[in-house]
Amino acid sequence: MKIIQLEYFVAVVKYNSFTKAANFLHISQPSLTATIKKMEADLGYDLFIRTTKEIKITEKGIQFYNYAQGLIHHYHQTIEKMYDLNTSHAPKIKLSILESSNQWISQVISIHRKQFTDQTYLVSEVHDQSKTIDQLLNFENHIGLTNEIINHEAIKSIPLYKESYVLITPKNAFPDIKAIEIEDLPLILPTKGSQVRKHLDDYFNRMNIRPNVIMEVDRFEAAANFVHKGLGYAVIPQVYFQSFNTRDLDVIHIKPNLGRTIYINYLQKRKHSERVLSLINQCINYWDITQ
């Protein structure tokens, strides 16, 4: 069955008339009627009940109509994307990042775009490692950043940098203290289920610490805002402390120390363009230079 046959059928449903549908499609009514009859013969059931005065769609016809609409919509979307490949010199580079990487990844993309001035990007934050893996394997993203290594034979996982988790506090909350134990402090932590929270919970278990968690938030940005309001102290990755949201806050190292490694990941079997490979290399080189 061809897409054009589905479009003929959908037109008959829309106009509830073979004559009006034929006029809309710029074909003859006998040709349209013959197409629908052939479809019904191929399917093995009636799509319409016809009388001399009207036509009515059958129950199976309604179900077929719903499927047909979805197929037609998907077909046209696919065709548009194929034309985009022809007219667009440089398809979007799609990458998933971590919230803590916003600051430095923006610098890297800025440098990359000076080399490829017509390049566009699609950037999303993903904090679920399994989702990052799925997006890479399904060709949805070119690059994914994670805070743990991805052990998958199809994915190349390269360490970029190591960083510590630190405590952010209002200015002068702990003057002259460079490292602090956090067991009894009112803490603002990431929500359960996030990779950062898993790191912190593992740390608390190892250190036999019962944290005083007064608030859980989805983003470091929100955590920093609540610290500004004096509602508690937030545990964040050290690199995030470079962000705008932590201005006018103090940073204190946690003791014993807790750290993590950030990885850049991409699908090995995918034929990456020169531009994607260049962006990967610039991410790696950025941390080779800054470390």
Side-chain angles (χ1 to χ4, degrees):
M1 194 170 294
K2 299 178 180 179
I3 287 291
I4 194 169
Q5 292 175 294
L6 299 180
E7 291 181 327
Y8 284 3
F9 166 68
V10 168
V12 175
V13 176
K14 179 179 179 181
Y15 290 98
N16 198 38
S17 164
F18 279 87
T19 302
K20 292 179 180 179
N23 289 334
F24 169 75
L25 296 167
H26 302 291
I27 61 173
S28 69
Q29 182 178 332
S31 177
L32 176 58
T33 301
T35 298
I36 299 300
K37 285 183 176 180
K38 185 178 186 309
M39 290 175 66
E40 290 177 321
D42 291 342
L43 292 167
Y45 52 81
D46 291 335
L47 296 170
F48 299 101
I49 300 297
R50 303 163 181 83
T51 68
T52 56
K53 295 183 178 180
E54 62 182 358
I55 62 171
K56 291 184 179 181
I57 189 170
T58 65
E59 287 299 317
K60 288 185 178 179
I62 292 171
Q63 294 181 51
F64 184 79
Y65 173 76
N66 291 331
Y67 286 123
Q69 276 195 310
L71 287 169
I72 291 169
H73 178 70
H74 182 69
Y75 169 78
H76 286 293
Q77 276 192 326
T78 301
I79 292 299
E80 287 179 11
K81 290 177 181 178
M82 295 306 100
Y83 279 117
D84 285 345
L85 289 178
N86 186 44
T87 58
S88 175
H89 176 63
K92 287 188 181 80
I93 296 179
K94 300 177 182 180
L95 60 159
S96 64
I97 66 171
L98 305 169
E99 184 186 359
S100 60
S101 65
N102 277 325
Q103 185 78 11
W104 69 264
I105 202 72
S106 63
Q107 297 178 36
V108 172
I109 290 178
S110 177
I111 295 169
H112 185 265
R113 202 165 187 279
K114 287 179 181 177
Q115 182 180 359
F116 304 102
T117 55
D118 60 341
Q119 184 61 57
T120 58
Y121 309 82
L122 179 60
V123 182
S124 58
E125 283 186 16
V126 177
H127 298 278
D128 183 339
Q129 184 157 303
S130 61
K131 183 177 180 180
T132 299
I133 293 172
D134 287 343
Q135 289 177 333
L136 292 174
L137 294 177
N138 293 324
F139 304 99
E140 295 174 23
N141 280 342
H142 298 93
I143 301 168
L145 298 182
T146 58
N147 55 20
E148 284 189 352
I149 191 171
I150 292 179
N151 292 306
H152 193 289
E153 60 182 9
I155 295 174
K156 183 72 171 178
S157 194
I158 302 171
L160 288 180
Y161 61 94
K162 294 181 179 180
E163 63 176 336
S164 297
Y165 288 105
V166 295
L167 191 74
I168 55 171
T169 73
K171 279 288 185 184
N172 299 316
F174 299 95
D176 303 322
I177 294 180
K178 295 183 178 180
I180 193 170
E181 295 179 353
I182 61 174
E183 181 171 7
D184 298 321
L185 299 178
L187 297 178
I188 302 169
L189 299 183
T191 51
K192 289 280 189 181
S194 69
Q195 198 61 52
V196 171
R197 182 59 182 270
K198 290 177 183 177
H199 289 172
L200 296 176
D201 286 345
D202 288 345
Y203 172 79
F204 295 143
N205 288 333
R206 289 198 313 271
M207 298 295 111
N208 197 26
I209 293 173
R210 297 184 64 182
N212 176 22
V213 182
I214 64 163
M215 189 177 296
E216 296 173 277
V217 295
D218 288 332
R219 294 175 55 83
F220 300 133
E221 178 184 7
N225 289 338
F226 288 126
V227 174
H228 278 292
K229 297 297 183 181
L231 296 174
Y233 312 121
V235 178
I236 64 168
Q238 187 169 9
V239 168
Y240 184 77
F241 186 69
Q242 302 169 356
S243 73
F244 173 81
N245 297 302
T246 58
R247 289 182 183 177
D248 300 320
L249 296 177
D250 285 339
V251 61
I252 303 175
H253 288 279
I254 297 169
K255 62 179 184 181
N257 183 61
L258 170 63
R260 68 176 185 174
T261 302
I262 303 300
Y263 293 83
I264 187 169
N265 309 277
Y266 61 92
L267 194 61
Q268 297 190 88
K269 68 178 180 181
R270 183 170 182 170
K271 177 60 178 175
H272 290 293
S273 68
E274 174 195 356
R275 295 173 180 228
V276 172
L277 294 175
S278 175
L279 182 58
I280 292 170
N281 288 329
Q282 286 185 27
C283 287
I284 296 171
N285 292 336
Y286 178 89
W287 287 102
D288 283 345
I289 292 171
T290 57
Q291 286 181 340

Coordinates of all heavy atoms in Angstrom, one line a residue, residues 88-149:
S88 N 20.8 22.1 3.6 CA 21.6 22.6 4.7 C 23.0 22.1 4.6 O 23.3 20.9 4.5 CB 21.0 22.1 6.1 OG 21.9 22.4 7.1
H89 N 23.9 23.0 4.5 CA 25.3 22.6 4.3 C 25.9 21.9 5.5 O 26.7 21.0 5.4 CB 26.2 23.9 4.0 CG 27.6 23.6 3.9 ND1 28.2 22.8 2.9 CD2 28.7 24.0 4.7 CE1 29.5 22.7 3.1 NE2 29.8 23.4 4.1
A90 N 25.4 22.3 6.7 CA 25.9 21.7 7.9 C 24.8 21.3 8.9 O 24.2 22.2 9.5 CB 26.9 22.6 8.6
P91 N 24.4 20.0 8.9 CA 23.4 19.6 9.9 C 23.7 20.0 11.3 O 24.9 20.1 11.6 CB 23.3 18.1 9.7 CG 23.9 17.9 8.3 CD 24.9 18.9 8.1
K92 N 22.7 20.1 12.2 CA 23.0 20.5 13.6 C 23.9 19.4 14.2 O 23.8 18.2 14.0 CB 21.7 20.5 14.3 CG 20.8 21.7 14.1 CD 19.6 21.7 15.1 CE 18.7 22.9 14.8 NZ 17.8 22.6 13.7
I93 N 24.8 19.9 15.1 CA 25.5 19.0 16.0 C 24.7 18.9 17.2 O 24.4 19.9 17.9 CB 26.9 19.5 16.2 CG1 27.8 19.6 15.0 CG2 27.6 18.7 17.3 CD1 29.2 20.1 15.1
K94 N 24.3 17.7 17.6 CA 23.5 17.5 18.8 C 24.3 16.9 19.9 O 25.0 15.9 19.7 CB 22.3 16.6 18.4 CG 21.4 17.1 17.3 CD 20.3 16.2 16.9 CE 19.5 16.7 15.7 NZ 18.4 15.8 15.4
L95 N 24.2 17.6 21.1 CA 25.0 17.1 22.2 C 24.2 17.2 23.5 O 23.4 18.2 23.6 CB 26.3 17.8 22.3 CG 26.4 19.3 22.5 CD1 27.7 19.7 23.1 CD2 26.3 20.0 21.2
S96 N 24.4 16.3 24.4 CA 23.8 16.4 25.7 C 24.9 16.7 26.7 O 26.0 16.2 26.6 CB 23.1 15.1 26.1 OG 24.0 14.0 26.2
I97 N 24.6 17.6 27.6 CA 25.6 18.1 28.6 C 25.1 18.0 30.0 O 23.9 17.7 30.2 CB 26.0 19.5 28.3 CG1 24.8 20.5 28.5 CG2 26.5 19.7 26.8 CD1 25.2 22.0 28.5
L98 N 25.9 18.2 30.9 CA 25.5 18.3 32.3 C 25.4 19.8 32.7 O 26.1 20.7 32.2 CB 26.6 17.7 33.2 CG 27.0 16.2 32.9 CD1 28.2 15.8 33.6 CD2 25.8 15.3 33.2
E99 N 24.5 20.1 33.7 CA 24.3 21.5 34.1 C 25.6 22.1 34.5 O 25.9 23.3 34.2 CB 23.3 21.5 35.2 CG 23.0 23.0 35.6 CD 22.1 23.1 36.9 OE1 21.8 22.0 37.4 OE2 21.8 24.2 37.3
S100 N 26.5 21.4 35.2 CA 27.8 21.9 35.7 C 28.7 22.3 34.5 O 29.7 23.0 34.7 CB 28.4 20.9 36.6 OG 28.7 19.7 36.0
S101 N 28.5 21.8 33.3 CA 29.4 22.0 32.2 C 29.0 23.2 31.3 O 29.7 23.5 30.4 CB 29.5 20.7 31.3 OG 28.2 20.5 30.7
N102 N 27.9 23.9 31.7 CA 27.4 25.0 30.9 C 28.5 26.0 30.6 O 28.6 26.5 29.4 CB 26.2 25.7 31.5 CG 24.9 24.9 31.3 OD1 24.7 24.4 30.2 ND2 24.0 24.9 32.3
Q103 N 29.2 26.4 31.6 CA 30.2 27.5 31.5 C 31.3 27.2 30.5 O 31.5 27.9 29.5 CB 30.8 27.8 32.8 CG 31.7 29.0 32.9 CD 31.0 30.3 32.9 OE1 29.7 30.3 33.1 NE2 31.7 31.4 32.7
W104 N 31.9 26.0 30.6 CA 33.0 25.7 29.7 C 32.6 25.3 28.4 O 33.3 25.5 27.4 CB 34.0 24.7 30.4 CG 33.5 23.3 30.6 CD1 32.9 22.8 31.7 CD2 33.5 22.3 29.6 NE1 32.6 21.5 31.5 CE2 33.0 21.1 30.2 CE3 34.0 22.2 28.3 CZ2 32.9 19.9 29.5 CZ3 33.9 21.0 27.6 CH2 33.3 19.8 28.2
I105 N 31.5 24.5 28.3 CA 31.0 24.1 27.0 C 30.6 25.2 26.1 O 30.8 25.2 24.8 CB 29.9 23.0 27.1 CG1 29.8 22.2 25.8 CG2 28.6 23.7 27.3 CD1 30.9 21.2 25.7
S106 N 30.1 26.3 26.7 CA 29.8 27.5 25.9 C 31.1 28.1 25.3 O 31.0 28.6 24.1 CB 29.0 28.5 26.7 OG 29.8 29.0 27.8
Q107 N 32.1 28.1 26.0 CA 33.4 28.6 25.5 C 33.9 27.8 24.4 O 34.4 28.3 23.4 CB 34.4 28.7 26.6 CG 34.1 29.6 27.8 CD 35.1 29.6 28.9 OE1 36.3 29.5 28.6 NE2 34.6 29.7 30.1
V108 N 33.8 26.4 24.5 CA 34.3 25.5 23.5 C 33.5 25.7 22.2 O 34.0 25.8 21.1 CB 34.3 24.1 24.0 CG1 34.6 23.1 22.8 CG2 35.3 23.9 25.1
I109 N 32.2 25.8 22.3 CA 31.3 26.0 21.1 C 31.6 27.3 20.5 O 31.6 27.4 19.2 CB 29.8 25.8 21.5 CG1 29.5 24.4 21.9 CG2 28.9 26.3 20.4 CD1 28.1 24.1 22.4
S110 N 31.9 28.3 21.3 CA 32.2 29.6 20.7 C 33.4 29.5 19.9 O 33.5 30.1 18.7 CB 32.4 30.6 21.8 OG 32.8 31.9 21.3
I111 N 34.4 28.8 20.3 CA 35.7 28.7 19.6 C 35.4 27.8 18.3 O 35.9 28.1 17.2 CB 36.7 28.0 20.4 CG1 37.1 28.9 21.6 CG2 38.0 27.6 19.6 CD1 38.0 28.2 22.7
H112 N 34.6 26.8 18.5 CA 34.3 25.9 17.4 C 33.6 26.6 16.2 O 33.9 26.4 15.0 CB 33.4 24.7 17.9 CG 33.1 23.7 16.9 ND1 32.0 23.7 16.1 CD2 33.8 22.6 16.4 CE1 32.0 22.6 15.3 NE2 33.1 21.9 15.5
R113 N 32.7 27.5 16.6 CA 31.9 28.2 15.6 C 32.7 29.3 14.9 O 32.3 29.7 13.8 CB 30.6 28.8 16.3 CG 29.5 29.1 15.3 CD 28.2 29.4 15.9 NE 27.2 29.5 14.9 CZ 26.9 30.6 14.1 NH1 27.7 31.7 14.3 NH2 26.0 30.6 13.2
K114 N 33.8 29.7 15.4 CA 34.6 30.6 14.7 C 35.3 29.9 13.6 O 35.6 30.5 12.5 CB 35.7 31.2 15.7 CG 35.1 32.2 16.7 CD 36.2 32.7 17.6 CE 35.6 33.7 18.6 NZ 36.6 34.2 19.6
Q115 N 35.5 28.6 13.7 CA 36.1 27.8 12.7 C 35.1 27.4 11.6 O 35.3 27.4 10.4 CB 36.8 26.6 13.3 CG 37.5 25.7 12.2 CD 38.1 24.4 12.9 OE1 38.0 24.3 14.1 NE2 38.7 23.6 12.1
F116 N 33.8 27.1 12.1 CA 32.7 26.7 11.2 C 31.6 27.7 11.4 O 30.7 27.4 12.2 CB 32.3 25.2 11.6 CG 33.4 24.2 11.5 CD1 34.0 23.8 12.7 CD2 33.9 23.8 10.3 CE1 35.0 22.8 12.6 CE2 34.9 22.8 10.2 CZ 35.5 22.4 11.4
T117 N 31.6 28.8 10.7 CA 30.7 29.9 11.0 C 29.3 29.6 10.7 O 28.4 30.3 11.2 CB 31.2 31.1 10.2 OG1 31.3 30.8 8.8 CG2 32.6 31.6 10.6
D118 N 29.0 28.6 9.8 CA 27.6 28.3 9.5 C 27.0 27.2 10.3 O 25.9 26.7 10.1 CB 27.5 28.0 8.0 CG 28.3 26.8 7.6 OD1 29.2 26.4 8.4 OD2 28.0 26.2 6.6
Q119 N 27.8 26.7 11.3 CA 27.4 25.6 12.1 C 26.3 25.9 13.1 O 26.3 27.0 13.7 CB 28.6 24.9 12.8 CG 28.2 23.7 13.6 CD 27.7 22.6 12.7 OE1 28.4 22.2 11.8 NE2 26.5 22.1 13.0
T120 N 25.3 25.0 13.3 CA 24.3 25.2 14.3 C 24.4 24.0 15.3 O 24.9 23.0 14.9 CB 22.9 25.3 13.7 OG1 22.6 24.2 12.9 CG2 22.8 26.6 12.8
Y121 N 23.8 24.2 16.5 CA 23.9 23.2 17.5 C 22.5 23.0 18.2 O 21.7 23.9 18.3 CB 24.9 23.6 18.6 CG 26.2 24.1 18.0 CD1 26.4 25.4 17.5 CD2 27.3 23.2 17.9 CE1 27.6 25.8 16.9 CE2 28.5 23.6 17.4 CZ 28.7 24.9 16.9 OH 29.9 25.3 16.3
L122 N 22.3 21.8 18.7 CA 21.2 21.5 19.6 C 21.7 20.9 20.9 O 22.3 19.8 20.9 CB 20.3 20.5 18.9 CG 19.0 20.1 19.7 CD1 18.2 21.3 20.0 CD2 18.2 19.0 19.0
V123 N 21.6 21.7 22.0 CA 22.2 21.3 23.2 C 21.1 21.1 24.3 O 20.2 21.9 24.4 CB 23.1 22.5 23.8 CG1 23.8 22.0 25.1 CG2 24.2 22.8 22.7
S124 N 21.2 19.9 24.9 CA 20.2 19.6 26.0 C 20.9 19.1 27.2 O 22.0 18.6 27.1 CB 19.2 18.5 25.5 OG 19.9 17.4 25.1
E125 N 20.3 19.3 28.4 CA 20.9 18.8 29.6 C 20.3 17.4 29.9 O 19.0 17.3 29.9 CB 20.5 19.7 30.8 CG 21.4 21.0 30.8 CD 21.1 21.8 32.1 OE1 20.5 21.3 33.0 OE2 21.6 23.0 32.1
V126 N 21.1 16.4 30.1 CA 20.7 15.1 30.4 C 21.5 14.6 31.6 O 22.7 14.6 31.6 CB 20.9 14.1 29.2 CG1 20.5 12.7 29.6 CG2 20.1 14.6 28.0
H127 N 20.8 14.2 32.7 CA 21.5 13.8 33.9 C 21.3 12.3 34.2 O 21.8 11.8 35.2 CB 21.1 14.6 35.1 CG 21.4 16.1 34.9 ND1 22.7 16.6 35.2 CD2 20.7 17.1 34.4 CE1 22.7 17.9 34.9 NE2 21.5 18.3 34.5
D128 N 20.6 11.6 33.3 CA 20.3 10.2 33.5 C 21.3 9.5 32.5 O 21.1 9.6 31.2 CB 18.9 9.9 33.2 CG 18.5 8.4 33.3 OD1 19.4 7.6 33.3 OD2 17.3 8.1 33.5
Q129 N 22.2 8.7 33.0 CA 23.2 8.1 32.1 C 22.6 7.1 31.1 O 23.0 7.0 30.0 CB 24.3 7.4 32.9 CG 25.4 6.9 32.1 CD 26.7 6.7 32.9 OE1 27.2 7.7 33.4 NE2 27.2 5.5 32.9
S130 N 21.6 6.4 31.5 CA 20.9 5.4 30.6 C 20.3 6.2 29.5 O 20.3 5.6 28.3 CB 19.9 4.6 31.4 OG 18.9 5.5 31.9
K131 N 19.8 7.4 29.7 CA 19.2 8.1 28.6 C 20.3 8.6 27.6 O 20.1 8.6 26.4 CB 18.4 9.3 29.2 CG 17.7 10.2 28.1 CD 16.9 11.3 28.7 CE 16.2 12.1 27.6 NZ 15.4 13.2 28.2
T132 N 21.4 9.0 28.2 CA 22.5 9.4 27.3 C 23.0 8.3 26.4 O 23.2 8.5 25.2 CB 23.7 9.9 28.2 OG1 23.3 11.0 29.0 CG2 24.9 10.3 27.3
I133 N 23.0 7.1 27.0 CA 23.4 5.9 26.2 C 22.4 5.6 25.1 O 22.8 5.4 23.9 CB 23.6 4.7 27.1 CG1 24.7 4.9 28.1 CG2 23.7 3.4 26.3 CD1 24.8 3.8 29.2
D134 N 21.1 5.7 25.4 CA 20.1 5.4 24.4 C 20.1 6.5 23.3 O 20.0 6.1 22.1 CB 18.7 5.5 25.1 CG 18.4 4.3 26.0 OD1 19.1 3.3 25.8 OD2 17.5 4.4 26.8
Q135 N 20.4 7.7 23.7 CA 20.4 8.8 22.6 C 21.6 8.6 21.7 O 21.5 8.8 20.5 CB 20.5 10.2 23.3 CG 19.2 10.6 24.0 CD 19.3 11.9 24.7 OE1 20.4 12.3 25.1 NE2 18.2 12.6 24.8
L136 N 22.7 8.1 22.2 CA 23.9 7.9 21.4 C 23.6 6.6 20.5 O 23.9 6.7 19.3 CB 25.1 7.6 22.2 CG 25.7 8.9 23.0 CD1 26.8 8.5 23.9 CD2 26.1 10.0 22.0
L137 N 23.1 5.6 21.0 CA 22.9 4.3 20.3 C 21.8 4.5 19.2 O 21.9 3.8 18.2 CB 22.5 3.2 21.2 CG 23.6 2.7 22.2 CD1 23.0 1.7 23.1 CD2 24.8 2.2 21.5
N138 N 20.8 5.4 19.5 CA 19.8 5.6 18.5 C 20.0 6.8 17.6 O 19.1 7.2 16.8 CB 18.5 5.9 19.3 CG 18.0 4.7 20.0 OD1 18.1 3.5 19.6 ND2 17.4 4.9 21.2
F139 N 21.3 7.3 17.5 CA 21.7 8.3 16.6 C 21.0 9.6 16.9 O 20.9 10.5 16.0 CB 21.6 7.9 15.1 CG 22.2 6.6 14.8 CD1 21.5 5.4 14.8 CD2 23.6 6.6 14.5 CE1 22.2 4.2 14.4 CE2 24.2 5.4 14.2 CZ 23.5 4.2 14.2
E140 N 20.5 9.8 18.1 CA 19.8 11.1 18.4 C 20.7 12.2 18.7 O 20.5 13.4 18.5 CB 18.8 10.8 19.5 CG 17.7 9.9 19.2 CD 16.8 9.6 20.4 OE1 16.8 10.4 21.3 OE2 16.1 8.5 20.4
N141 N 21.9 11.8 19.3 CA 22.9 12.8 19.7 C 24.2 12.4 19.1 O 24.5 11.2 19.0 CB 23.0 13.0 21.2 CG 21.9 13.9 21.7 OD1 21.3 14.7 21.0 ND2 21.7 13.9 23.0
H142 N 25.1 13.3 18.8 CA 26.4 13.0 18.4 C 27.4 12.8 19.6 O 28.3 12.0 19.6 CB 27.0 14.2 17.5 CG 26.3 14.4 16.3 ND1 25.3 15.3 16.2 CD2 26.4 13.8 15.0 CE1 24.8 15.3 14.9 NE2 25.5 14.4 14.2
I143 N 27.2 13.6 20.6 CA 28.1 13.7 21.8 C 27.2 13.7 23.1 O 26.2 14.3 23.1 CB 28.9 15.0 21.7 CG1 29.8 15.0 20.4 CG2 29.8 15.1 23.0 CD1 30.4 16.4 20.2
G144 N 27.8 13.1 24.1 CA 27.1 13.1 25.4 C 28.1 13.2 26.5 O 29.1 12.5 26.5
L145 N 27.9 14.1 27.5 CA 28.8 14.2 28.6 C 28.1 13.5 29.8 O 26.9 13.6 30.0 CB 29.0 15.7 29.0 CG 29.6 16.6 28.0 CD1 29.7 18.0 28.5 CD2 31.0 16.1 27.5
T146 N 29.0 12.8 30.5 CA 28.5 12.0 31.7 C 29.5 12.2 32.9 O 30.6 12.5 32.6 CB 28.3 10.5 31.4 OG1 29.6 10.0 31.0 CG2 27.3 10.3 30.3
N147 N 29.0 11.9 34.1 CA 29.9 12.0 35.2 C 30.4 10.7 35.7 O 30.8 10.5 36.8 CB 29.3 12.8 36.4 CG 27.9 12.3 36.8 OD1 27.6 11.2 36.5 ND2 27.2 13.2 37.4
E148 N 30.2 9.7 34.9 CA 30.7 8.3 35.1 C 31.1 7.7 33.7 O 30.5 8.1 32.7 CB 29.8 7.4 35.8 CG 29.6 7.7 37.3 CD 28.8 6.6 38.0 OE1 28.3 5.7 37.3 OE2 28.8 6.7 39.3
I149 N 32.0 6.8 33.7 CA 32.4 6.2 32.4 C 31.2 5.3 31.9 O 30.5 4.8 32.7 CB 33.7 5.3 32.6 CG1 34.2 4.8 31.3 CG2 33.4 4.1 33.6 CD1 35.6 4.2 31.4

